[in-house]
Amino acid sequence: MSSAAGAAGRYLGQTLRLMVGVPDYETYVEHVRRTHPDQEPMSYEEFFRERQDARYGGRKRIGCC
């Protein structure tokens, strides 16, 4: 698989996950490490629960930016 095809596949996968409401943990971790180097990213379980709460109206929301 070429580099361009691999990148297109990752982009397509991310797009499909976002369309059906599946959060993208890897993108979140990259964002935190790049823009908030002094903070530890949430665990996958914490991230998933926060995204579920944000989408379906949970009580606790951990915000960023």
Side-chain angles (χ1 to χ4, degrees):
M1 181 181 283
S2 73
S3 177
R10 283 189 299 278
Y11 179 76
L12 178 60
Q14 180 182 16
T15 300
L16 292 173
R17 284 189 296 276
L18 291 172
M19 287 174 64
V20 297
V22 176
D24 191 354
Y25 182 69
E26 290 79 23
T27 300
Y28 156 75
V29 170
E30 289 175 20
H31 166 79
V32 171
R33 290 193 173 141
R34 186 176 57 252
T35 59
H36 307 284
D38 58 320
Q39 296 179 10
E40 185 69 27
M42 290 183 272
S43 69
Y44 179 81
E45 291 78 16
E46 293 169 324
F47 172 78
F48 187 81
R49 185 180 324 268
E50 192 276 331
R51 291 288 81 216
Q52 290 282 308
D53 289 348
R55 182 171 186 175
Y56 298 111
R59 294 175 292 157
K60 183 180 176 185
R61 175 147 175 14
I62 301 171
C64 172
C65 303

